[in-house]
Amino acid sequence: MPHPARLRLTLAKLAAIFPLELALHAVIVAVHPPYLVAVSLLAITTTALAIWVIEPSTMRLLRTWLHAPGHRVRRRTEAGLEQAPSLWRIRVTVDDRAGALEQLTFGLAELGANILGLHVHPVLDGVRDELVVSTPDGVGPDELLEIVRAAGGREVHVWPTTTLALVDGQTTALSLSAQVVADPAELPHAVAELLGAQLVTDPKAFQGKPLPADGTILKIPSPWSGLYVFTRPGEPFTPAESARAHRLAEVAETARTLSRGW
C-alpha cells in the first residue's frame, strides 16, 4: 500500500494514544495511588497496551484513510491519465506539390497531435506519407481520418500502434540484412518483419496470376521455391517497400551462392 503521509500518520498515532493517556491520567488523579504504583501503571500501560494493542488496532481501523493518496496527488494522477498520449500510425496519399505536407501537419496540430516519425514514399499519383503521431487521450481514429481527409489526404488508413513503430527503419533493415546474410533461409521471416506483413503459406495459388489492384499482395523471388508471397490486408504495399523486399531477396541469393562456393 502507499506509504502514509506524515501528517496523517501523526494524526492517527494521536487518535490512538491520546484517549488512552487521558483516561489513564484521569483514573490516577482520582484514585491517588502511591507514587511507584502510579509510575509503574503509566509505564506498563503506555508501552504494552498502547504500542501492542491500541495503536495497531487504530491503524487497521483507519487504514483506508491513512494510505489513501492525497487530494493533490489524485488530481495530478487524473490529469495525467486524461492527457496520456495515444500512438497512431497514419498512411495517406497526398499531391506531390509544395505545401501539401504542411497542410497535413497543420490539420494534425489542430487535434493536438505530435508527429514522431515520417516516411515519404513516391507513388504514381503523388506521394504516400507514413506518419507515427501521438495524440491526447480521447482523440480516436475517426477524428484523425476526418482531419487528414479535410487536409487533402486520399486513401487514408489509421491504425493504433506502439513505440516499436518509432524504431529507425534503416537500422531495422540493416539488422535484418545481417540476419539474412548469416542464414539465407531467414529471408521470408525477415521480409515479413521488415514490412509488418504475413507470409502466405501456399504461394502456388498466386503463380502466373496478376496481383490484386488494392496492392495488398506482394511477390518476391525465392532462392528455393521460386516465389514468396506476402499479404497485408487493408494496408497496401508501397513501391519503396516492394523494392526493399526484392533487394533483401537479392542479398539472400548472393549469400546462398557464396556459401555454396565455400
Side-chain angles (χ1 to χ4, degrees):
M1 300 182 71
H3 192 275
R6 181 177 301 177
L7 177 61
R8 293 191 180 189
L9 188 60
T10 302
L11 293 176
K13 289 181 178 293
L14 286 175
I17 298 175
F18 182 75
L20 174 65
E21 293 284 350
L22 182 63
L24 184 59
H25 281 76
V27 170
I28 291 177
V29 169
V31 175
H32 292 291
Y35 177 76
L36 291 178
V37 174
V39 171
S40 301
L41 184 61
L42 286 172
I44 294 174
T45 305
T46 53
T47 55
L49 187 60
I51 295 177
W52 296 338
V53 180
I54 301 299
E55 186 175 332
S57 300
T58 304
M59 294 300 177
R60 284 195 298 270
L61 182 65
L62 300 176
R63 64 181 181 274
T64 302
W65 171 80
L66 187 64
H67 296 280
H71 179 65
R72 292 183 179 178
V73 175
R74 286 198 302 270
R75 289 190 62 183
R76 287 197 299 267
T77 302
E78 292 169 358
L81 291 174
E82 290 175 359
Q83 298 174 2
S86 301
L87 289 179
W88 302 92
R89 188 166 160 222
I90 302 174
R91 177 168 287 182
V92 54
T93 301
V94 297
D95 294 332
D96 189 8
R97 59 176 176 80
L101 181 58
E102 181 181 0
Q103 186 176 356
L104 176 61
T105 57
F106 180 78
L108 291 172
E110 290 183 347
L111 289 178
N114 183 26
I115 298 177
L116 304 176
L118 171 65
H119 295 282
V120 179
H121 309 279
V123 293
L124 293 177
D125 56 346
V127 291
R128 187 163 296 157
D129 295 334
E130 185 169 338
L131 307 96
V132 177
V133 303
S134 66
T135 62
D137 191 44
V139 175
D142 294 336
E143 290 86 353
L144 289 170
L145 282 169
E146 182 180 355
I147 203 71
V148 171
R149 286 170 178 164
R154 309 186 304 275
E155 302 175 15
V156 186
H157 301 275
V158 178
W159 305 271
T161 188
T162 66
T163 52
L164 293 177
L166 299 175
V167 176
D168 179 67
Q170 288 81 358
T171 302
T172 301
L174 288 172
S175 300
L176 293 175
S177 298
Q179 178 180 330
V180 169
V181 169
D183 184 4
E186 288 292 314
L187 172 63
H189 309 293
V191 172
E193 182 177 347
L194 178 65
L195 304 182
Q198 296 177 353
L199 176 66
V200 176
T201 56
D202 185 18
K204 295 181 179 179
F206 294 89
Q207 288 182 343
K209 296 182 179 180
L211 296 178
D214 61 1
T216 58
I217 298 293
L218 175 65
K219 296 191 294 186
I220 65 171
S222 164
W224 300 274
S225 60
L227 181 69
Y228 282 129
V229 180
F230 300 89
T231 179
R232 198 167 60 186
E235 189 176 353
F237 295 101
T238 66
E241 288 177 324
S242 176
R244 293 170 191 162
H246 281 80
R247 184 54 58 89
L248 204 56
E250 293 175 6
V251 170
E253 178 64 29
T254 302
R256 182 168 179 263
T257 303
L258 292 175
S259 63
R260 283 183 172 183
W262 292 339

